[in-house]
Amino acid sequence: NGIRVLSISWVILGHTNGLAASYITNVIDELTILERFTFQTVSNAFFAVDSFFLLSGLLVMYLSLKQMDSNRGRLPYFKFYFHRVWRLTPAYMLALMILYNVMPLMGNGPNWNSTTAYADHCKKYWWTNFLYINNFYPTKFDDQCFSWAWYLANDMQFYIISPIFIVLMYKSKKLGSAAIGVAMFLSFVVTAVLCAHYNFPIGSMTKQADDSYNHDYTSIVYSKPYCRLGPYLVGLMLGMILRHKEDFFVSWKPLVRVIMLAQGWCVSAILLLSTLYGLYHYAKHQEFLSRSAMTLYITFGRTAWSIGLAWLIWACHSGYGSYINTLLSFKFWIPLSRLSYSVYLVHLMVILVGYGSLRHPFAYTDNLMSFYFLGYLFMSHLVAAILFLVAEAPFIEMEKIFLGTHRTSGPRR
């Protein structure tokens, strides 16, 4: 719950700063801000999405194996898929209707027409969202209706193919692990080939990013499932480990166990910090990465992040998390985590209405952006609570009443 809430807050932080670029007057100062060590946390907020993919794969594998154990090794495919569509689609389609029909009426100002461009595409392409293929069609990312729902399309597509790995894992851990390894290798190869061929930049808030980032990288690599599969596969593997309660150190001598656990935490920290802050040198000195360096970072960075986070989850689950586990397990996170899917659906609408209604540009300051972030964070949760009560909670209860199903899917961003 703690990871989920912190991750969606991180997403809002990244979008708050990213979308502010169009309204900032002190552009030179903004370029200087990109050089800060601390700003790497903001510019690399896209790793929050990979955290969600990890959690989704984890819960799908863990809960499906648990269900198969109680169902003589069978996975009820109809309930498996119906549950997912039933839980995701109502709130998703209601949010899309709000984007298309209501949001254009919620503001005005000199920038309002460009702000509502997201809604304009929905008249033509809303059906791609309904079918969860919006990350493939329209082919240009900027033409998508509800463009930030590329995540939902990916997560649904991962969910559709997940029984392949679940069934193999149930029959044989070696066979299932091999299948996950092959799929991850193929994902790496495809991502590396695309990045090397197109020479894509790292991210949207770096000096190396230009128009090619917005028009090519997001459409060809960033939003495509075969390039984003790594963290989900790590989650599937972690789900199997947690389901079988595998403690790799329980039989070892205490001293050896402490040393190995310390090494595990060190490797986890290195993976997390290197992916998050590893490009600071290039940001600070305004240096461009070579094509090979960019290809390696884009290909392996997200999976490295998910492996580091997977260790943290395993350690907390196995009783080795100490204060980190206490922090992430506070009951305070529970009600907020239940809103995370609705928050994801509405947060960009909240941000767009806020920025789009501005009458004039503003000068970037840390204090001002902090107020914007906290305001958008609060309003996103407030609007999400309404959406949850209207379109999520009723369908959750109807599913329990009519189908008698239990939670078998991953987190619903």
Side-chain angles (χ1 to χ4, degrees):
N1 292 322
I3 293 176
R4 194 180 301 176
V5 175
L6 293 175
S7 295
I8 193 62
S9 300
W10 195 11
V11 169
I12 296 174
L13 175 65
H15 283 154
T16 299
N17 282 268
L19 293 177
S22 301
Y23 304 93
I24 291 175
T25 57
N26 50 339
V27 179
I28 303 300
D29 292 337
E30 181 188 11
L31 294 177
T32 303
I33 291 167
L34 295 175
E35 301 173 5
R36 293 181 186 171
F37 179 80
T38 53
F39 197 79
Q40 299 304 299
T41 306
V42 179
S43 59
N44 289 320
F46 51 79
F47 283 121
V49 179
D50 299 298
S51 301
F52 286 140
F53 283 138
L54 169 71
L55 293 174
S56 185
L58 186 165
L59 290 176
V60 168
M61 177 65 77
Y62 181 90
L63 295 173
S64 296
L65 290 178
K66 181 178 180 181
Q67 187 176 39
M68 292 178 73
D69 284 338
S70 61
N71 198 32
R72 299 180 180 178
R74 291 177 295 180
L75 185 67
Y77 290 102
F78 175 77
K79 288 186 177 181
F80 181 84
Y81 288 118
F82 178 81
H83 168 85
R84 189 66 168 180
V85 175
W86 183 262
R87 293 288 290 271
L88 290 185
T89 307
Y92 183 17
M93 290 298 103
L94 179 58
L96 191 151
M97 290 174 59
I98 295 172
L99 174 69
Y100 179 54
N101 295 298
V102 180
M103 182 179 155
L105 307 176
M106 296 178 64
N108 56 71
N111 296 305
W112 188 245
N113 289 336
S114 60
T115 300
T116 56
Y118 286 99
D120 295 337
H121 298 304
C122 291
K123 183 176 182 180
K124 186 176 182 180
Y125 296 117
W126 67 269
W127 58 273
T128 64
N129 297 80
F130 182 75
L131 296 177
Y132 294 92
I133 59 171
N134 49 293
N135 58 334
F136 283 102
Y137 188 81
T139 56
K140 187 177 179 181
F141 186 83
D142 290 344
D143 292 338
Q144 289 186 18
C145 164
F146 215 112
S147 60
W148 59 100
W150 68 268
Y151 166 83
L152 297 178
N154 275 264
D155 199 47
M156 178 64 78
Q157 290 153 15
F158 295 156
Y159 190 85
I160 289 172
I161 67 171
S162 64
I164 298 173
F165 305 103
I166 294 169
V167 173
L168 290 176
M169 191 68 76
Y170 186 84
K171 292 182 177 180
S172 168
K173 287 190 288 186
K174 291 183 179 180
L175 188 60
S177 300
I180 289 175
V182 171
M184 187 173 294
F185 174 76
L186 293 176
S187 176
F188 287 158
V189 170
V190 172
T191 305
V193 169
L194 291 174
C195 291
H197 176 73
Y198 289 101
N199 194 25
F200 286 130
I202 296 291
S204 60
M205 285 189 283
T206 64
K207 292 182 177 63
Q208 195 159 353
D210 54 19
D211 288 342
S212 68
Y213 176 88
N214 295 319
H215 299 299
D216 293 325
Y217 174 73
T218 310
S219 303
I220 297 173
V221 172
Y222 187 80
S223 62
K224 292 299 183 286
Y226 39 77
C227 297
R228 305 303 299 256
L229 185 58
Y232 192 87
L233 294 175
V234 174
L236 291 177
M237 197 70 191
L238 180 60
M240 180 276 294
I241 293 172
L242 296 185
R243 175 57 189 161
H244 292 288
K245 301 179 180 179
E246 297 191 10
D247 188 336
F248 306 105
F249 310 121
V250 68
S251 61
W252 293 15
K253 294 181 179 179
L255 179 60
V256 177
R257 185 189 311 168
V258 171
I259 294 174
M260 295 304 296
L261 285 170
Q263 290 179 344
W265 278 108
C266 288
V267 171
S268 174
I270 290 171
L271 290 174
L272 294 173
L273 295 176
S274 62
T275 51
L276 193 57
Y277 299 106
L279 301 181
Y280 169 64
H281 171 81
Y282 299 95
K284 181 179 180 180
H285 297 285
Q286 304 183 27
E287 296 178 3
F288 286 3
L289 273 72
S290 64
R291 178 175 296 196
S292 59
M294 284 194 299
T295 299
L296 287 172
Y297 185 83
I298 295 174
T299 302
F300 299 108
R302 298 185 184 93
T303 303
W305 169 269
S306 64
I307 293 173
L309 188 60
W311 166 269
L312 187 151
I313 294 172
W314 176 86
C316 290
H317 183 269
S318 302
Y320 304 122
S322 187
Y323 295 110
I324 295 177
N325 182 54
T326 302
L327 174 64
L328 296 177
S329 301
F330 278 152
K331 293 182 179 180
F332 166 78
W333 302 119
I334 296 176
L336 295 177
S337 70
R338 292 175 180 170
L339 296 177
S340 60
Y341 175 49
S342 291
V343 170
Y344 187 83
L345 291 176
V346 304
H347 81 280
L348 258 178
M349 284 188 271
V350 172
I351 296 173
L352 288 170
V353 170
Y355 282 147
S357 299
L358 293 175
R359 293 298 189 268
H360 51 77
F362 60 90
Y364 182 103
T365 66
D366 292 333
N367 288 338
L368 181 60
M369 293 309 300
S370 297
F371 281 118
Y372 273 131
F373 164 63
L374 293 175
Y376 291 146
L377 182 67
F378 173 78
M379 288 303 300
S380 295
H381 280 81
L382 181 62
V383 176
I386 299 173
L387 182 64
F388 176 83
L389 293 175
V390 172
E392 269 202 88
F395 285 87
I396 293 173
E397 294 305 315
M398 281 191 286
E399 181 185 22
K400 292 178 180 178
I401 293 172
F402 296 116
L403 297 181
T405 57
H406 300 281
R407 182 183 175 91
T408 57
S409 70
R412 311 172 311 281
R413 261 350 28 79

